[in-house]
Amino acid sequence: MPSFGPILQELQGPALREAVDGLPGHQKTVAIVLSIAMFLVVVELVRKRKLREEYSLVWMLTAFALLVLAIQHRLLNVVRDLVGAVESTSALFFGALVFLMLLSLQFSVRLSKLTFRNRTLSQRVALLEDEIDNLRAGRGGSDRAASDRAAAEPRDGDAGAA
Amino acid sequence: MSGPRDLIQSVVVIVPARNEADRIGAVLDAVRRAAPAARIAVIDDGSEDDTGAVARAHGAQVLRHPFTLGYGAALQTGYHWALRQRFTRLVQLDADGQHDPASIPSLLAALDAGAQLVLGSRYLDPATTPRTSFARRMGSRFFAFVVSRWTGTRITDPTSGYQAMDRRVVERLALDDFPEDFPDSDVLIALAREGVRFAEVPVQMRERLGGVSMHRGGRIAYYAYKMALTLSLLPVRRSSPFRAGRELARAGAD
């Protein structure tokens, strides 16, 4: 087997030597602009009441983390070495990826909860409609009066069946 | 409130249905013939056709989901409904005509003989065993083996939706952790761990009168995955953190 060692060294060498401290100039600018834009968009969405405060937190934290990492060379270097990346840029991307994974997981958990609530609510609607129908049929009179009574004393429906 | 009504309502039949307008009428008529005194509820799981109207015309109570929630959720709505009635025994069967209502008396007889949950099995009697694909037969065998081992009872058809149960089992199944898609092997094992007594009686499954089977294509793979996951988590899983269904069940049981 031919030795790939020198070739690999040749390929890796420059990259290792050039491992930059923090981000190169324009990448740093992009990261800073991106984080500020993210911050502004989140604030705007909360202002318009399109994003709930509880969900805004994770986004704010991300924007903040992005900003800090872009500005603080040393912190980004720590992250870079921690994940074993060569380029600081990759470290930043890696961080973003981890964040997105956490966010999706959070959404999946919320979805599970909402799915469950949705199911329970729909089942309850089906049962209540059935009870209202029974009340109307049982009491006669105008439908209007029956449904008013049903709305006024929902507990009565339960007791009637039991 | 007591008297003859108690007797009339001592058996309830629940029939989850979705887009079965063409088939459900005949099924309900057959249920009526097999169990004349039973109260029948059809759970219309968000049908786009006249399933609900047809069921009502054939004398069933109709509970309608505002949109499709799934087969298991429809069954559970039926359990909640049943708990609001006076009943001692519940029968569930599919609306597509696969489950012959003529078997209802034999399911009920097995309940009376001491079982708490009776499964209508299409594999118990070789004469009635339907011809299915090899993969499906292997899958069925595998789950039958697993369930039999865990429950200590010989179960040949754990995926059967044709069942009869007593009130205690219905109360248990009305709880939150009841799956909304494929309630079978995992539910049986959970019940067995809680001491429920099982029995199986042979039933003949008729060819589907149309419609689409639940177990098909990609859903089979998902089914296998889900069963593997829920079965392996069964001993260590926490009970559902949600309370709503539990309260719903309690309100019905009061």
Side-chain angles (χ1 to χ4, degrees):
Chain A
M1 188 175 136
S3 165
F4 287 109
I7 304 167
L8 278 176
Q9 230 166 27
E10 181 81 357
L11 285 172
Q12 288 176 342
L16 278 172
R17 257 177 275 119
E18 278 171 26
V20 269
D21 217 26
L23 291 174
H26 69 283
Q27 288 177 9
K28 183 172 172 175
T29 317
V30 168
I32 290 173
V33 168
L34 207 68
S35 66
I36 290 174
M38 201 161 141
F39 174 78
L40 290 177
V41 168
V42 171
V43 168
E44 177 64 6
L45 285 174
V46 172
R47 190 187 70 80
K48 283 188 183 163
R49 297 198 181 274
K50 284 189 173 176
L51 180 65
R52 292 170 60 94
E53 292 88 335
E54 49 176 316
Y55 294 107
S56 70
L57 181 69
V58 199
W59 288 105
M60 287 288 199
L61 286 177
T62 316
F64 184 69
L66 189 64
L67 192 64
V68 169
L69 286 178
I71 295 171
Q72 284 285 331
H73 295 187
R74 257 188 248 145
L75 206 58
L76 186 56
N77 291 345
V78 169
V79 174
R80 184 194 64 197
D81 296 340
L82 206 66
V83 302
V86 175
E87 296 283 350
S88 302
T89 333
S90 337
L92 208 59
F93 276 125
F94 179 81
L97 199 69
V98 168
F99 157 75
L100 284 176
M101 273 165 52
L102 287 177
L103 199 71
S104 321
L105 197 61
Q106 190 202 12
F107 285 159
S108 297
V109 170
R110 297 252 173 193
L111 266 179
S112 301
K113 192 172 162 184
L114 283 175
T115 304
F116 168 78
R117 288 188 171 172
N118 200 5
R119 172 182 119 191
T120 309
L121 265 180
S122 312
Q123 289 180 322
R124 199 151 202 166
V125 165
L127 292 166
L128 288 176
E129 275 180 353
D130 175 58
E131 270 174 20
I132 289 173
D133 287 349
N134 288 344
L135 284 172
R136 279 183 181 156
R139 293 189 186 181
S142 80
D143 281 2
R144 183 66 177 275
S147 70
D148 285 352
R149 270 196 297 272
E153 15 179 15
R155 286 278 148 213
D156 232 26
D158 289 6
Chain B
M1 225 192 281
S2 60
R5 216 177 140 193
D6 294 4
L7 289 173
I8 291 169
Q9 297 186 352
S10 71
V11 175
V12 297
V13 177
I14 60 168
V15 185
R18 182 170 170 241
N19 296 338
E20 302 285 5
D22 300 340
R23 295 166 282 271
I24 197 166
V27 173
L28 293 176
D29 291 345
V31 171
R32 185 62 71 206
R33 281 196 297 275
R39 283 201 80 182
I40 308 169
V42 168
I43 302 91
D44 177 1
D45 192 21
S47 295
E48 287 138 28
D49 62 6
D50 298 332
T51 299
V54 172
R56 214 169 272 127
H58 286 264
Q61 196 96 4
V62 175
L63 298 141
R64 181 172 164 77
H65 287 169
F67 35 73
T68 303
L69 296 174
Y71 177 73
L75 281 176
Q76 202 183 34
T77 301
Y79 299 149
H80 283 301
W81 171 81
L83 289 173
R84 291 163 183 236
Q85 320 293 318
R86 284 182 178 273
F87 79 100
T88 49
R89 298 169 297 176
L90 175 144
V91 175
Q92 65 183 50
L93 74 161
D94 291 352
D96 59 10
Q98 270 197 103
H99 301 152
D100 185 354
S103 299
I104 290 177
S106 64
L107 265 78
L108 292 176
L111 271 190
D112 290 339
Q116 292 173 285
L117 177 67
V118 181
L119 294 157
S121 168
R122 71 205 112 156
Y123 301 119
L124 210 53
D125 179 358
T128 65
T129 300
R131 275 198 256 167
T132 50
S133 73
F134 178 76
R136 185 150 174 203
R137 204 159 54 238
M138 285 300 106
S140 270
R141 284 240 180 104
F142 172 72
F143 284 112
F145 170 76
V146 172
V147 172
S148 300
R149 279 298 289 269
W150 280 49
T151 60
T153 315
R154 183 167 163 257
I155 303 287
T156 57
D157 193 3
T159 61
S160 172
Y162 198 0
Q163 301 178 3
M165 57 192 79
D166 70 4
R167 191 174 181 112
R168 217 211 96 198
V169 174
V170 177
E171 280 168 12
R172 171 64 186 82
L173 296 182
L175 297 184
D176 291 341
D177 54 2
F178 191 69
E180 55 208 71
D181 38 17
F182 312 110
D184 41 61
S185 306
D186 49 346
V187 172
L188 294 183
I189 291 173
L191 289 175
R193 286 165 58 89
E194 291 163 26
V196 169
R197 295 183 302 277
F198 293 92
E200 256 189 344
V201 298
V203 293
Q204 186 156 9
M205 298 269 172
R206 288 187 287 193
E207 284 293 314
R208 292 177 57 82
L209 299 172
V212 183
S213 166
M214 285 199 307
H215 302 287
R216 184 167 283 190
R219 302 189 71 178
I220 295 178
Y222 173 71
Y223 175 84
Y225 159 76
K226 199 200 137 173
M227 284 303 149
L229 183 69
T230 50
L231 289 180
S232 55
L233 284 181
L234 207 54
V236 292
R237 207 164 180 193
R238 273 206 291 174
S239 60
S240 169
F242 308 111
R243 284 287 148 76
R246 211 163 299 162
E247 280 160 22
L248 211 56
R250 208 178 298 128
D254 281 346

